[in-house]
Amino acid sequence: MSESLVQEVLDANCALAAHGLAPLTWGNASGIDRERGLVAIKPSGVAYDELTVDDIVVLDLDGNVISGGGRPSTDTPTHLVLYRAFEEIGAVVHTHSTYSVAWAQAQREIPLLGTTHADLCAYPIPLTRALTEEEIATDYEGATGTALVETIAERGPSELPCALVRGHAPFCWAASPAAAVDVAVTLEQVAQMALLSTLLEPRAEPLQAAVRDKHHARKHGPRAYYGQP
Amino acid sequence: MSESLVQEVLDANCALAAHGLAPLTWGNASGIDRERGLVAIKPSGVAYDELTVDDIVVLDLDGNVISGGGRPSTDTPTHLVLYRAFEEIGAVVHTHSTYSVAWAQAQREIPLLGTTHADLCAYPIPLTRALTEEEIATDYEGATGTALVETIAERGPSELPCALVRGHAPFCWAASPAAAVDVAVTLEQVAQMALLSTLLEPRAEPLQAAVRDKHHARKHGPRAYYGQP
Amino acid sequence: MSESLVQEVLDANCALAAHGLAPLTWGNASGIDRERGLVAIKPSGVAYDELTVDDIVVLDLDGNVISGGGRPSTDTPTHLVLYRAFEEIGAVVHTHSTYSVAWAQAQREIPLLGTTHADLCAYPIPLTRALTEEEIATDYEGATGTALVETIAERGPSELPCALVRGHAPFCWAASPAAAVDVAVTLEQVAQMALLSTLLEPRAEPLQAAVRDKHHARKHGPRAYYGQP
Amino acid sequence: MSESLVQEVLDANCALAAHGLAPLTWGNASGIDRERGLVAIKPSGVAYDELTVDDIVVLDLDGNVISGGGRPSTDTPTHLVLYRAFEEIGAVVHTHSTYSVAWAQAQREIPLLGTTHADLCAYPIPLTRALTEEEIATDYEGATGTALVETIAERGPSELPCALVRGHAPFCWAASPAAAVDVAVTLEQVAQMALLSTLLEPRAEPLQAAVRDKHHARKHGPRAYYGQP
């Protein structure tokens, strides 16, 4: 696997901590080398400030460890289900960031109330269905991935770059580890803004549809004009 | 265009990030050289810690780029409309700061509840009207500027140093880039304090009018006695 | 006036900024030399990171400037009224800290809900009465001091180390500038905790009286046993 | 007593401050050497950045000071009651962290709303009973310990690693000082997330029992598979 991707995965994990999105060791980032079919991911329970490239675990898409001394993140099966389901996904990030978790625990999707949200995604941030007791007993982390895939299947991962796992926390994805961290940072801001707006005005209207579509199109798709060409 | 103004615009953009008002690349500051009719503004989508004076884009008031390699901020037409409408404006700042956005998304003006607000402005912080679908389709950013101009036209930009764009975020203005950043910092504090007071006491009374006027006059206008002479 | 007191006042002003209690220039600390009848206070509108001992303004208790080049804080008359009314006060601190202001704007005293509050003070944090229009027109800052004195007169400044000025912000006092900063830090924590508890449980019961008195007596008065002897 | 345990206790006290859990001097950590029956604890009222190993007070389980120049934390009797009641406890941490205190002041246990909570503990975070006036008058700190012991006695300290003292603040315990700090950090996050979820959705459902048990078993007990073997 390319050294640069392993380094990007290491950097993305450390960025989660630096952005305050992952207290203690509660977050993990991975990236995939589609050519070789290999995924690099954080080892389980290791502190971000002690992580080195040698700690990053490399696995194939069936979860067989190829290199890296430690046990991979317990959430690895969730990441793998997402990679297997969607070719467009190049990186996955999971955090327990405060405001995103607040919505997940309230078991509510995040309504689309403003342009900050529309810049990220043109839809409410969805919530996965509850898992069955059998799913939880037999393959909890894999079933979490399956529920995420079901939740975003209709729109696809480019249209829905993140979702909340019911009662748990967010998962985010993008083309690269750094871009997936940006999704996680943005989602947490969007979650905080939406929570504050909702406390202030419980019946807040969704953002006007034409503004929503305009903002989204400024940043995404063929007619985007945000950023440098 | 004077080098010092370009430097001030660069410094103001970096100050937005340092004050935590602009996560990722979500904020922009500009300044105008009224003598030459030239505006300096942040390039679109560039990280604050990578910005140099050479990146700052200089345009005329019709939006023609005079210097600077990159594409200007997507919000440039909003800034230009404000500069064209009001001679008193020397700088414009746009952020997605959390609490100000919370009010914009709740589609509520910020009520004047205390002296911190009165030190900034003697009126509630207003909210722009909704744009029409045609405005959004044909000239979204320009129409945003037009709505801001309509919102503050009666009082003028000295009496109303900032406003909330409905469903979006704040714009602030002042005589200089550094002063516009101070407006943005103050607005975010005022927005947070007003939100907390409103959650605590949904029917909170506005600040007593005589105290409001006294505080405002201490800091602004011919009888101001705040700060050094 | 003793150089060490001027230095303590300088340090206290900088500590307000370091503790995040005074955004921009919105806070001031003063100290009194009772032997000489001189008060040292922050100059108006000067940034904390630019303050030097030479900037600190020294005045007598009638407000006549004795030394220091600049204009004293606009809130100086409030400080002087407090010093003249209560011999026990050795220092005064004023901030616009967020949660304390939220209560002042909601025009509510801070209820005594827990031991953190009882460690500071055995009573709710009181709110001053509204000023009359004449008071505001003729001597606003002095009348603010008078209202504070009325509010705490019955208990005295040792029993009530701080109060909220209605619609405005807190004032705190203690024997020394450093101790007054500690009151301001504690008050802001108490204000935040009380606000969060009140949002969670609007009818939260006050702290049990025996626990309140026990906690207060652990830290204050002849039978205190907190800290080193 | 082993030097390394004294160092661990010093480090744990400093970590409370570094994590923002103990403003001013409002928190204390202790550790026990079970072989020698000696407890090391923070001295009362000393600033964290001035603490040295020589300041750490060592006592026996009856509270007799063995070494260390100063007065031990006023909360020492609470720690000692916990150590005497439960052999499994190797360290105790007390803080006044903001969101945990908010629940203690609201006199409500923290409901189990999500997986972040289940990773810490499989039950709501309990609240102690009110103390009697006699308990408060005769042995306040000891009675606080007794109330904590009663609260967790049925489940035991391994199943309930922390509790809220009614109207006061949290106490946390674990096998080592560093692990007790991790409990305190996690509890504060859990308290904040639960408070935000409850404001958003006052009737939020508890986390699905099967997910709760799965998450808890991933991290704790014989079938744990989180972290490195």
Side-chain angles (χ1 to χ4, degrees), chain B residues 113-116 182 186 189 192-194 196-197 199-201 205 207-208 210-211 214-215 218 225-229, chain C residues 23-26 43-45 70-71 74-75 96 98-99 101-103 105 107-108 131 136 140-141 167-168 199:
Chain B
L113 299 179
T115 59
T116 317
D182 279 3
T186 304
Q189 283 286 326
Q192 183 177 5
M193 290 166 173
L196 294 170
S197 295
L199 294 186
L200 196 53
E201 193 62 83
E205 290 282 315
L207 182 65
Q208 191 183 358
V211 173
K214 176 68 185 174
H215 261 264
R218 292 206 313 182
Y225 56 96
Y226 183 89
Q228 300 304 319
Chain C
L24 299 178
T25 58
W26 313 339
S44 180
R71 198 187 260 174
T74 49
D75 300 308
H96 281 231
T98 309
Y99 287 87
V101 167
W103 285 95
Q105 292 189 157
Q107 304 192 30
R108 288 174 60 169
L131 302 184
I136 295 162
Y140 170 64
E141 291 86 1
H168 182 175
L199 294 186

Side-chain angles (χ1 to χ4, degrees), chain D:
Chain D
M1 186 173 211
S2 84
E3 277 179 40
S4 68
L5 181 59
V6 173
Q7 183 69 47
E8 284 174 50
V9 168
L10 173 64
D11 292 347
N13 277 289
C14 295
L16 296 182
H19 281 289
L21 300 178
L24 298 178
T25 59
W26 312 339
N28 42 71
S30 70
I32 189 166
D33 178 333
R34 285 281 174 192
E35 215 165 294
R36 294 184 181 81
L38 296 179
V39 171
I41 195 165
K42 181 176 176 292
S44 180
V46 176
Y48 300 102
D49 57 3
E50 295 173 6
L51 270 188
T52 69
V53 284
D54 295 332
D55 296 321
I56 300 297
V57 183
V58 177
L59 316 97
D60 66 22
L61 275 168
D62 297 322
N64 302 300
V65 173
I66 307 297
S67 71
R71 198 188 259 173
S73 166
T74 49
D75 299 309
T76 300
T78 314
H79 293 237
L80 296 181
V81 169
L82 285 161
Y83 287 125
R84 288 197 301 258
F86 301 108
E87 274 289 327
E88 311 92 295
I89 295 183
V92 174
V93 158
H94 169 53
T95 78
H96 282 230
S97 63
T98 309
Y99 286 87
S100 304
V101 168
W103 285 95
Q105 293 188 157
Q107 304 191 30
R108 287 174 61 169
E109 64 174 29
I110 305 179
L112 199 166
L113 300 179
T115 59
T116 317
H117 186 140
D119 285 341
L120 173 67
C121 162
Y123 306 97
I125 306 300
L127 188 71
T128 60
R129 64 168 170 81
L131 302 184
T132 66
E133 299 215 355
E134 200 189 321
E135 285 176 318
I136 294 164
T138 55
D139 180 20
Y140 170 63
E141 292 85 1
T144 298
T146 303
L148 283 164
V149 168
E150 290 171 23
T151 301
I152 66 170
E154 195 187 343
R155 306 284 184 200
S158 300
E159 291 298 303
L160 280 172
C162 52
L164 303 177
V165 177
R166 185 180 292 265
H168 183 174
F171 279 78
C172 304
W173 38 84
S176 71
V181 171
D182 279 3
V183 172
V185 170
T186 304
L187 171 61
E188 181 64 3
Q189 284 286 327
V190 164
Q192 182 175 6
M193 290 166 173
L195 192 145
L196 294 170
S197 295
T198 302
L199 294 187
L200 195 53
E201 193 61 83
R203 296 174 307 276
E205 291 281 317
L207 182 65
Q208 190 182 359
V211 173
R212 176 196 70 202
D213 295 340
K214 176 68 186 174
H215 261 263
H216 197 64
R218 291 207 313 184
K219 279 213 167 176
H220 304 274
R223 283 169 304 170
Y225 56 95
Y226 183 89
Q228 299 305 319

Side-chain angles (χ1 to χ4, degrees), chain B residues 67-143:
Chain B
S67 71
R71 198 188 259 173
S73 165
T74 48
D75 299 308
T76 299
T78 314
H79 292 237
L80 296 181
V81 169
L82 285 161
Y83 286 125
R84 288 197 300 259
F86 302 109
E87 275 288 327
E88 311 93 296
I89 294 182
V92 174
V93 158
H94 169 53
T95 78
H96 282 231
S97 62
T98 309
Y99 287 86
S100 304
V101 167
W103 285 95
Q105 292 189 157
Q107 305 192 30
R108 287 174 59 170
E109 64 174 28
I110 304 178
L112 198 167
L113 299 179
T115 59
T116 317
H117 186 140
D119 285 341
L120 172 68
C121 162
Y123 306 96
I125 307 301
L127 189 71
T128 60
R129 64 168 171 82
L131 302 184
T132 66
E133 299 214 358
E134 200 189 321
E135 285 175 317
I136 295 162
T138 56
D139 180 21
Y140 170 64
E141 292 85 2

